[in-house]
Amino acid sequence: MQLRPNQRLKLDDTDDKLFYAYPRFVTHVDEGFIQQLTDLYRDRLKPNTRIFDMMSSWVSHLPEEMEFDHVEGHGLNGEELARNARLNHYFVQNLNENPQIPLPDEDFDAVLNCVSVQYMQYPEAVFSEIYRILKPGGVAIISFSNRMFFEKAIQAWREASESQRVELVKAYFASVPGFTTAEVIAHKSTLPNILQWLGAAGGDPFYAVIAYRS
């Protein structure tokens, strides 16, 4: 799987660091989505392991009762990351400029990415890095809804339907030899589209694509 050059384009092609220069201390999905994600983490993550929360913010949605050996954070706004109490350490890096993650090989038990995969212009390279830093048997959990900063999402994502976006993330995993066949969890919203876009409670669909380093 290789995206075409036009599929990587964003409507706003200015430096991402400018767009994310000011912190946004909000959640970008509703409480129903967050609860489903936390429940998924509770089910798939193991205590006392090493977690990499990629493209994170001021909250990681990890279960409060679970303790981990180390949670490494990454994002584009240092103020948001500094507010995240679950992170033991974090770094700021634009993966669209440099997709190479400055972390050791086979060092993490899990890599998490919440509602950010739509902004990756070079997902093939990023998913290769996810594979590299995962321990054998480690899990990658990519979660998303239908919300986005439209001007910063890549064309392939903007023009896709929700089911096509799931297939896109599955293809990102499949582009890297060594990942297991991706598993999909999909809970579509039953609310009309207009109520979803207005932010009605329970309106956010929940999607997670999960694969393990075999």
Short mmCIF file of all heavy atoms in Angstrom, two decimals, residues 135-181:
data_model
loop_
_atom_site.label_atom_id
_atom_site.label_comp_id
_atom_site.label_asym_id
_atom_site.label_seq_id
_atom_site.Cartn_x
_atom_site.Cartn_y
_atom_site.Cartn_z
N LYS A 135 7.82 -4.26 21.11
CA LYS A 135 8.39 -5.56 21.45
C LYS A 135 7.63 -6.65 20.68
O LYS A 135 6.46 -6.45 20.31
CB LYS A 135 8.25 -5.81 22.95
CG LYS A 135 9.00 -4.85 23.84
CD LYS A 135 8.71 -5.15 25.31
CE LYS A 135 9.41 -4.15 26.22
NZ LYS A 135 9.12 -4.41 27.66
N PRO A 136 8.24 -7.80 20.43
CA PRO A 136 7.48 -8.92 19.86
C PRO A 136 6.26 -9.22 20.73
O PRO A 136 6.36 -9.31 21.95
CB PRO A 136 8.49 -10.07 19.89
CG PRO A 136 9.83 -9.39 19.81
CD PRO A 136 9.67 -8.11 20.58
N GLY A 137 5.12 -9.30 20.10
CA GLY A 137 3.87 -9.50 20.81
C GLY A 137 3.22 -8.21 21.27
O GLY A 137 2.10 -8.23 21.79
N GLY A 138 3.90 -7.08 21.06
CA GLY A 138 3.34 -5.79 21.46
C GLY A 138 2.17 -5.39 20.58
O GLY A 138 2.05 -5.81 19.42
N VAL A 139 1.30 -4.53 21.11
CA VAL A 139 0.06 -4.16 20.44
C VAL A 139 0.08 -2.70 20.00
O VAL A 139 0.62 -1.84 20.70
CB VAL A 139 -1.16 -4.44 21.35
CG1 VAL A 139 -1.14 -3.57 22.60
CG2 VAL A 139 -2.47 -4.25 20.60
N ALA A 140 -0.50 -2.43 18.86
CA ALA A 140 -0.74 -1.06 18.39
C ALA A 140 -2.25 -0.86 18.28
O ALA A 140 -2.94 -1.67 17.64
CB ALA A 140 -0.08 -0.81 17.04
N ILE A 141 -2.75 0.21 18.90
CA ILE A 141 -4.18 0.50 18.91
C ILE A 141 -4.39 1.88 18.30
O ILE A 141 -3.96 2.89 18.86
CB ILE A 141 -4.76 0.47 20.33
CG1 ILE A 141 -4.53 -0.90 20.98
CG2 ILE A 141 -6.26 0.81 20.32
CD1 ILE A 141 -4.97 -0.99 22.43
N ILE A 142 -5.03 1.92 17.14
CA ILE A 142 -5.31 3.17 16.42
C ILE A 142 -6.80 3.42 16.51
O ILE A 142 -7.61 2.66 15.98
CB ILE A 142 -4.89 3.07 14.94
CG1 ILE A 142 -3.47 2.50 14.80
CG2 ILE A 142 -5.03 4.43 14.26
CD1 ILE A 142 -2.38 3.34 15.42
N SER A 143 -7.20 4.49 17.21
CA SER A 143 -8.63 4.78 17.39
C SER A 143 -8.98 6.11 16.73
O SER A 143 -8.16 7.03 16.68
CB SER A 143 -8.98 4.81 18.88
OG SER A 143 -8.22 5.80 19.56
N PHE A 144 -10.21 6.20 16.25
CA PHE A 144 -10.66 7.43 15.58
C PHE A 144 -12.17 7.45 15.50
O PHE A 144 -12.84 6.42 15.66
CB PHE A 144 -10.05 7.55 14.18
CG PHE A 144 -10.25 6.34 13.29
CD1 PHE A 144 -11.31 6.26 12.42
CD2 PHE A 144 -9.36 5.27 13.35
CE1 PHE A 144 -11.49 5.15 11.60
CE2 PHE A 144 -9.52 4.15 12.53
CZ PHE A 144 -10.59 4.10 11.66
N SER A 145 -12.70 8.63 15.26
CA SER A 145 -14.13 8.82 15.07
C SER A 145 -14.34 9.45 13.69
O SER A 145 -13.58 9.17 12.77
CB SER A 145 -14.69 9.69 16.20
OG SER A 145 -16.10 9.74 16.13
N ASN A 146 -15.34 10.30 13.57
CA ASN A 146 -15.54 10.99 12.29
C ASN A 146 -15.21 12.47 12.39
O ASN A 146 -15.44 13.23 11.46
CB ASN A 146 -16.98 10.81 11.79
CG ASN A 146 -18.01 11.34 12.79
OD1 ASN A 146 -17.67 11.80 13.88
ND2 ASN A 146 -19.28 11.26 12.42
N ARG A 147 -14.67 12.88 13.53
CA ARG A 147 -14.27 14.28 13.69
C ARG A 147 -12.83 14.47 13.24
O ARG A 147 -12.03 13.54 13.28
CB ARG A 147 -14.40 14.71 15.14
CG ARG A 147 -15.81 14.64 15.70
CD ARG A 147 -15.90 15.51 16.93
NE ARG A 147 -16.94 15.10 17.85
CZ ARG A 147 -17.26 15.78 18.94
NH1 ARG A 147 -16.58 16.87 19.25
NH2 ARG A 147 -18.21 15.36 19.75
N MET A 148 -12.51 15.70 12.87
CA MET A 148 -11.14 16.02 12.46
C MET A 148 -11.01 17.52 12.29
O MET A 148 -12.01 18.23 12.16
CB MET A 148 -10.81 15.34 11.12
CG MET A 148 -11.56 15.92 9.92
SD MET A 148 -11.37 14.99 8.40
CE MET A 148 -12.78 13.87 8.56
N PHE A 149 -9.78 18.00 12.31
CA PHE A 149 -9.49 19.33 11.78
C PHE A 149 -9.42 19.14 10.27
O PHE A 149 -8.42 18.68 9.73
CB PHE A 149 -8.17 19.87 12.34
CG PHE A 149 -8.19 20.13 13.82
CD1 PHE A 149 -7.28 19.52 14.65
CD2 PHE A 149 -9.13 20.99 14.37
CE1 PHE A 149 -7.28 19.76 16.01
CE2 PHE A 149 -9.16 21.23 15.74
CZ PHE A 149 -8.22 20.61 16.56
N PHE A 150 -10.51 19.50 9.58
CA PHE A 150 -10.67 19.15 8.17
C PHE A 150 -9.51 19.67 7.33
O PHE A 150 -9.03 18.99 6.42
CB PHE A 150 -12.00 19.72 7.66
CG PHE A 150 -12.48 19.09 6.39
CD1 PHE A 150 -13.08 17.84 6.40
CD2 PHE A 150 -12.32 19.74 5.18
CE1 PHE A 150 -13.53 17.25 5.22
CE2 PHE A 150 -12.77 19.17 4.00
CZ PHE A 150 -13.37 17.91 4.02
N GLU A 151 -9.03 20.88 7.66
CA GLU A 151 -7.99 21.49 6.84
C GLU A 151 -6.63 20.81 7.01
O GLU A 151 -5.73 20.99 6.19
CB GLU A 151 -7.86 22.98 7.15
CG GLU A 151 -7.41 23.32 8.56
CD GLU A 151 -8.55 23.42 9.56
OE1 GLU A 151 -9.51 22.63 9.45
OE2 GLU A 151 -8.48 24.29 10.43
N LYS A 152 -6.49 19.99 8.08
CA LYS A 152 -5.20 19.33 8.34
C LYS A 152 -5.23 17.83 8.05
O LYS A 152 -4.19 17.18 8.08
CB LYS A 152 -4.78 19.57 9.80
CG LYS A 152 -4.22 20.96 10.05
CD LYS A 152 -2.92 21.19 9.26
CE LYS A 152 -2.28 22.51 9.54
NZ LYS A 152 -1.04 22.71 8.75
N ALA A 153 -6.39 17.28 7.77
CA ALA A 153 -6.48 15.87 7.41
C ALA A 153 -6.03 15.68 5.96
O ALA A 153 -6.24 16.55 5.11
CB ALA A 153 -7.91 15.36 7.59
N ILE A 154 -5.42 14.54 5.68
CA ILE A 154 -4.95 14.29 4.32
C ILE A 154 -6.14 14.01 3.40
O ILE A 154 -7.22 13.61 3.84
CB ILE A 154 -3.94 13.14 4.26
CG1 ILE A 154 -4.58 11.81 4.67
CG2 ILE A 154 -2.71 13.46 5.11
CD1 ILE A 154 -3.69 10.59 4.38
N GLN A 155 -5.93 14.21 2.12
CA GLN A 155 -7.00 14.07 1.14
C GLN A 155 -7.60 12.67 1.16
O GLN A 155 -8.83 12.50 1.05
CB GLN A 155 -6.48 14.39 -0.26
CG GLN A 155 -7.52 14.24 -1.36
CD GLN A 155 -6.97 14.61 -2.72
OE1 GLN A 155 -6.51 15.72 -2.93
NE2 GLN A 155 -6.97 13.66 -3.65
N ALA A 156 -6.76 11.64 1.29
CA ALA A 156 -7.26 10.27 1.29
C ALA A 156 -8.27 10.06 2.40
O ALA A 156 -9.23 9.29 2.25
CB ALA A 156 -6.09 9.29 1.43
N TRP A 157 -8.08 10.74 3.53
CA TRP A 157 -9.00 10.61 4.66
C TRP A 157 -10.24 11.46 4.45
O TRP A 157 -11.37 11.02 4.68
CB TRP A 157 -8.29 11.02 5.95
CG TRP A 157 -9.02 10.61 7.19
CD1 TRP A 157 -10.00 11.30 7.83
CD2 TRP A 157 -8.82 9.41 7.95
NE1 TRP A 157 -10.44 10.62 8.94
CE2 TRP A 157 -9.73 9.45 9.04
CE3 TRP A 157 -7.97 8.31 7.81
CZ2 TRP A 157 -9.79 8.43 9.98
CZ3 TRP A 157 -8.04 7.30 8.76
CH2 TRP A 157 -8.94 7.36 9.81
N ARG A 158 -10.04 12.70 4.01
CA ARG A 158 -11.18 13.61 3.83
C ARG A 158 -12.20 13.05 2.85
O ARG A 158 -13.40 13.19 3.05
CB ARG A 158 -10.70 14.97 3.30
CG ARG A 158 -9.81 15.75 4.23
CD ARG A 158 -9.66 17.21 3.75
NE ARG A 158 -9.37 17.34 2.35
CZ ARG A 158 -8.15 17.40 1.82
NH1 ARG A 158 -7.09 17.30 2.61
NH2 ARG A 158 -7.98 17.55 0.53
N GLU A 159 -11.73 12.42 1.80
CA GLU A 159 -12.63 11.99 0.74
C GLU A 159 -13.20 10.58 0.97
O GLU A 159 -14.03 10.13 0.18
CB GLU A 159 -11.89 12.04 -0.60
CG GLU A 159 -11.49 13.47 -1.01
CD GLU A 159 -10.82 13.53 -2.35
OE1 GLU A 159 -10.48 12.45 -2.91
OE2 GLU A 159 -10.62 14.65 -2.87
N ALA A 160 -12.77 9.92 2.03
CA ALA A 160 -13.20 8.55 2.29
C ALA A 160 -14.44 8.52 3.16
O ALA A 160 -14.69 9.42 3.96
CB ALA A 160 -12.07 7.77 2.95
N SER A 161 -15.22 7.46 3.02
CA SER A 161 -16.34 7.20 3.93
C SER A 161 -15.76 6.62 5.23
O SER A 161 -14.57 6.30 5.31
CB SER A 161 -17.31 6.20 3.31
OG SER A 161 -16.67 4.93 3.16
N GLU A 162 -16.59 6.49 6.25
CA GLU A 162 -16.11 5.93 7.51
C GLU A 162 -15.57 4.52 7.33
O GLU A 162 -14.51 4.16 7.87
CB GLU A 162 -17.22 5.97 8.57
CG GLU A 162 -17.56 7.39 9.02
CD GLU A 162 -18.61 7.44 10.11
OE1 GLU A 162 -18.80 6.42 10.81
OE2 GLU A 162 -19.24 8.50 10.28
N SER A 163 -16.27 3.69 6.57
CA SER A 163 -15.79 2.33 6.36
C SER A 163 -14.51 2.32 5.53
O SER A 163 -13.63 1.47 5.75
CB SER A 163 -16.87 1.49 5.67
OG SER A 163 -17.22 2.04 4.41
N GLN A 164 -14.37 3.25 4.60
CA GLN A 164 -13.13 3.33 3.82
C GLN A 164 -11.95 3.79 4.68
O GLN A 164 -10.82 3.38 4.44
CB GLN A 164 -13.33 4.29 2.64
CG GLN A 164 -14.22 3.74 1.55
CD GLN A 164 -14.60 4.79 0.51
OE1 GLN A 164 -14.61 5.99 0.79
NE2 GLN A 164 -14.90 4.33 -0.69
N ARG A 165 -12.23 4.61 5.68
CA ARG A 165 -11.15 5.01 6.60
C ARG A 165 -10.65 3.83 7.41
O ARG A 165 -9.45 3.71 7.67
CB ARG A 165 -11.65 6.14 7.51
CG ARG A 165 -11.88 7.44 6.77
CD ARG A 165 -12.65 8.44 7.60
NE ARG A 165 -12.92 9.66 6.84
CZ ARG A 165 -13.80 10.58 7.18
NH1 ARG A 165 -14.51 10.44 8.29
NH2 ARG A 165 -13.98 11.65 6.43
N VAL A 166 -11.55 2.96 7.81
CA VAL A 166 -11.14 1.73 8.50
C VAL A 166 -10.23 0.92 7.59
O VAL A 166 -9.17 0.44 8.02
CB VAL A 166 -12.37 0.91 8.92
CG1 VAL A 166 -11.95 -0.48 9.41
CG2 VAL A 166 -13.16 1.63 10.01
N GLU A 167 -10.62 0.78 6.33
CA GLU A 167 -9.80 0.01 5.39
C GLU A 167 -8.45 0.67 5.17
O GLU A 167 -7.43 0.00 4.96
CB GLU A 167 -10.54 -0.15 4.05
CG GLU A 167 -11.78 -1.00 4.12
CD GLU A 167 -11.50 -2.40 4.66
OE1 GLU A 167 -10.51 -3.03 4.20
OE2 GLU A 167 -12.25 -2.86 5.55
N LEU A 168 -8.42 2.01 5.21
CA LEU A 168 -7.17 2.74 5.04
C LEU A 168 -6.20 2.39 6.17
O LEU A 168 -5.02 2.10 5.91
CB LEU A 168 -7.47 4.23 5.02
CG LEU A 168 -6.44 5.17 4.40
CD1 LEU A 168 -6.13 4.81 2.96
CD2 LEU A 168 -6.94 6.61 4.49
N VAL A 169 -6.69 2.40 7.41
CA VAL A 169 -5.81 2.09 8.54
C VAL A 169 -5.38 0.63 8.49
O VAL A 169 -4.22 0.30 8.79
CB VAL A 169 -6.49 2.44 9.87
CG1 VAL A 169 -5.58 2.08 11.05
CG2 VAL A 169 -6.84 3.92 9.92
N LYS A 170 -6.28 -0.26 8.10
CA LYS A 170 -5.90 -1.66 7.93
C LYS A 170 -4.78 -1.79 6.89
O LYS A 170 -3.84 -2.57 7.07
CB LYS A 170 -7.11 -2.49 7.49
CG LYS A 170 -8.13 -2.73 8.59
CD LYS A 170 -9.40 -3.39 8.04
CE LYS A 170 -9.14 -4.75 7.43
NZ LYS A 170 -10.40 -5.36 6.93
N ALA A 171 -4.87 -0.99 5.84
CA ALA A 171 -3.84 -1.02 4.80
C ALA A 171 -2.51 -0.48 5.32
O ALA A 171 -1.44 -0.95 4.91
CB ALA A 171 -4.30 -0.23 3.58
N TYR A 172 -2.56 0.51 6.20
CA TYR A 172 -1.32 1.02 6.81
C TYR A 172 -0.60 -0.11 7.55
O TYR A 172 0.62 -0.26 7.43
CB TYR A 172 -1.61 2.16 7.79
CG TYR A 172 -2.18 3.43 7.19
CD1 TYR A 172 -2.77 4.38 8.01
CD2 TYR A 172 -2.12 3.70 5.82
CE1 TYR A 172 -3.29 5.57 7.50
CE2 TYR A 172 -2.65 4.86 5.30
CZ TYR A 172 -3.23 5.80 6.14
OH TYR A 172 -3.74 6.97 5.64
N PHE A 173 -1.35 -0.87 8.33
CA PHE A 173 -0.75 -2.01 9.03
C PHE A 173 -0.23 -3.05 8.04
O PHE A 173 0.88 -3.57 8.21
CB PHE A 173 -1.78 -2.66 9.96
CG PHE A 173 -1.92 -2.02 11.31
CD1 PHE A 173 -3.14 -1.50 11.73
CD2 PHE A 173 -0.83 -1.95 12.18
CE1 PHE A 173 -3.27 -0.92 13.00
CE2 PHE A 173 -0.96 -1.37 13.44
CZ PHE A 173 -2.18 -0.86 13.84
N ALA A 174 -1.03 -3.34 7.03
CA ALA A 174 -0.65 -4.38 6.06
C ALA A 174 0.58 -3.99 5.25
O ALA A 174 1.26 -4.86 4.68
CB ALA A 174 -1.82 -4.67 5.12
N SER A 175 0.88 -2.69 5.20
CA SER A 175 2.05 -2.24 4.42
C SER A 175 3.36 -2.58 5.10
O SER A 175 4.43 -2.48 4.49
CB SER A 175 1.97 -0.72 4.20
OG SER A 175 2.24 0.00 5.40
N VAL A 176 3.29 -3.00 6.38
CA VAL A 176 4.50 -3.32 7.15
C VAL A 176 4.53 -4.82 7.42
O VAL A 176 3.70 -5.33 8.17
CB VAL A 176 4.53 -2.55 8.48
CG1 VAL A 176 5.82 -2.85 9.24
CG2 VAL A 176 4.39 -1.05 8.24
N PRO A 177 5.45 -5.56 6.80
CA PRO A 177 5.55 -7.00 7.08
C PRO A 177 5.83 -7.25 8.56
O PRO A 177 6.68 -6.59 9.15
CB PRO A 177 6.73 -7.45 6.21
CG PRO A 177 6.87 -6.40 5.15
CD PRO A 177 6.44 -5.11 5.81
N GLY A 178 5.09 -8.17 9.14
CA GLY A 178 5.35 -8.53 10.53
C GLY A 178 4.22 -8.20 11.47
O GLY A 178 4.20 -8.69 12.60
N PHE A 179 3.29 -7.34 11.05
CA PHE A 179 2.10 -7.12 11.86
C PHE A 179 1.10 -8.25 11.63
O PHE A 179 0.98 -8.78 10.51
CB PHE A 179 1.41 -5.79 11.49
CG PHE A 179 1.94 -4.59 12.21
CD1 PHE A 179 2.50 -3.54 11.51
CD2 PHE A 179 1.90 -4.51 13.60
CE1 PHE A 179 2.99 -2.42 12.16
CE2 PHE A 179 2.38 -3.40 14.27
CZ PHE A 179 2.93 -2.35 13.55
N THR A 180 0.37 -8.61 12.67
CA THR A 180 -0.72 -9.55 12.50
C THR A 180 -1.84 -8.90 11.67
O THR A 180 -1.87 -7.67 11.50
CB THR A 180 -1.31 -9.97 13.86
OG1 THR A 180 -1.79 -8.80 14.55
CG2 THR A 180 -0.25 -10.66 14.72
N THR A 181 -2.74 -9.71 11.16
CA THR A 181 -3.91 -9.18 10.46
C THR A 181 -4.69 -8.26 11.38
O THR A 181 -5.00 -8.63 12.53
CB THR A 181 -4.81 -10.32 9.96
OG1 THR A 181 -4.04 -11.16 9.10
CG2 THR A 181 -6.02 -9.77 9.21
#
